[in-house]
Amino acid sequence: MKSHPKSSARPLAVLAGALASLVLAVSAAPNAMAATEPTLSDPGGVAAPHSPAGVPSAGQGLMLTTWPAAAGYAAKHPGTNPVGANNFSCRPTKGTHPVVLVPGTNEDAFATWAYYAPKLRAKGLCVYSFNYNPLVVDKDKKILAESATFAGDMKSSAAFMAGFVDKVLASTGAEKVDLIGHSQGGGPLPRAYIKYFGGASKVNHLVGLVPSNKGTTVFGITNALRDAEQAGLINGIDTGDAPALIDSAQLLKDHNWEAMTQQVEGSPFITALNDGGMTAKGVKYTVIATKYDDVVTPYTNSFLDDASADTTNIVIQNKCALDHTDHFGAAFDPVAFQVAFNSLYPDRASHVTCRYVAPVIH
């Protein structure tokens, strides 16, 4: 499929507008895609053409320190590899694990990890990231918004992630990986991999930056969507493909955008994922949330419920009151980076230097 150049993730206004647009959609849905349960051998999602086998392969980008700069670059250069990532000849040093960086919804590896990847590599870690399941702009014309990856069904992305992690383990000789993820990539996606596709035995530690572990209300917008669904105007949040004036469930499938409604608070996907417990035995979990989250609302929906010695929920403002980072800025927040690294390697932990961090643009 061809890539679409204007495809970066955007702040809350566009995210909320995208969800609300389901109510106003007027175009007829294209022909249905076949619905099959994702498997390890056939994840069933959409490949990113510039990332064969998930590996960003369209050249190496720059280290960037703000989300707008990284997202803008990714939109113009789909498949850009973050500096320091995806060296499959890297061998972990003693006492470390390979780190797989998991992007968020509508964000590719570079847009999310242009800051973290080179910093982690500079600390001597083997670092990896991947792309999969981009937004489909026009299925019939085969046009993709390639930098808007991880837009499709999260279970499909989790099945693909399993294969990528296996590739990392095979190349490094490691038994387990550490995961750092942003938004979807720090919560429901890796947790679906852990729960459904064997990740519990292959993950040492999951660090989630502003993860959507319990979904989001998007400041109450999802309530309006549910009202529209109950009135028969739309479907796809709680009612699946039940008859509706606008078959928004099919529109989401045809545009490979199911991850949007799957992350609504109380969605069938989130409910099933969290049923029976939000964590897996043997895996360590750290959540890093921000009070200024403008996508995962309320921000406490990032938290994991299964409090134990292996599960830690952190509000970044409790570490540094000057840190005003929001949702998209979290993966470019130098304070959050220190907290994330200290969580992975407490024996190498350093004092967290508190500094003012502005929303989105630091």
Side-chain angles (χ1 to χ4, degrees), residues 162-308:
F164 186 82
V165 170
D166 283 350
K167 178 181 176 72
V168 170
L169 293 176
S171 71
T172 59
E175 294 183 0
K176 293 188 176 185
V177 298
D178 288 327
L179 305 176
I180 302 178
H182 176 250
S183 193
Q184 176 198 148
L189 171 51
R191 288 177 48 235
Y193 159 58
I194 289 168
K195 181 169 184 173
Y196 300 127
F197 297 106
S201 64
K202 300 175 183 180
V203 175
N204 172 61
H205 198 148
L206 167 59
V207 177
L209 306 177
V210 294
S212 49
N213 279 315
K214 297 175 187 172
T216 178
T217 69
V218 196
F219 291 105
I221 288 175
T222 57
N223 294 331
L225 292 176
R226 280 194 161 104
D227 288 343
E229 187 174 49
Q230 290 302 312
L233 299 177
I234 63 171
N235 57 13
I237 300 176
D238 297 323
T239 60
D241 58 359
L245 179 64
I246 298 170
D247 191 356
S248 49
Q250 190 59 53
L251 284 169
L252 290 170
K253 290 178 183 178
D254 289 325
H255 291 285
N256 201 41
W257 217 13
E258 294 165 282
M260 299 296 286
T261 50
Q262 286 178 335
Q263 290 175 92
V264 169
E265 182 184 68
S267 73
F269 184 93
I270 291 292
T271 299
L273 180 63
N274 293 343
D275 185 44
M278 300 179 72
T279 61
K281 186 177 180 180
V283 180
K284 293 186 285 289
Y285 297 84
T286 300
V287 168
I288 302 173
T290 173
K291 292 180 179 179
Y292 303 105
D293 201 317
D294 49 6
V295 173
V296 175
T297 64
Y299 75 90
T300 52
N301 274 13
S302 286
F303 294 163
L304 293 166
D305 286 342
D306 304 336
S308 69

Side-chain angles (χ1 to χ4, degrees), residues 27 37 46 49 59 72 104 106-108 115 121 152 154 171 197 215 231 242 260 285 323 333 352:
S27 61
E37 185 70 10
V46 176
N106 298 337
E107 297 179 295
D108 72 356
Y115 177 71
R121 185 67 193 103
M154 287 193 286
S171 71
F197 297 106
M260 299 296 286
Y285 297 84
D323 192 333
D333 178 356
V352 174

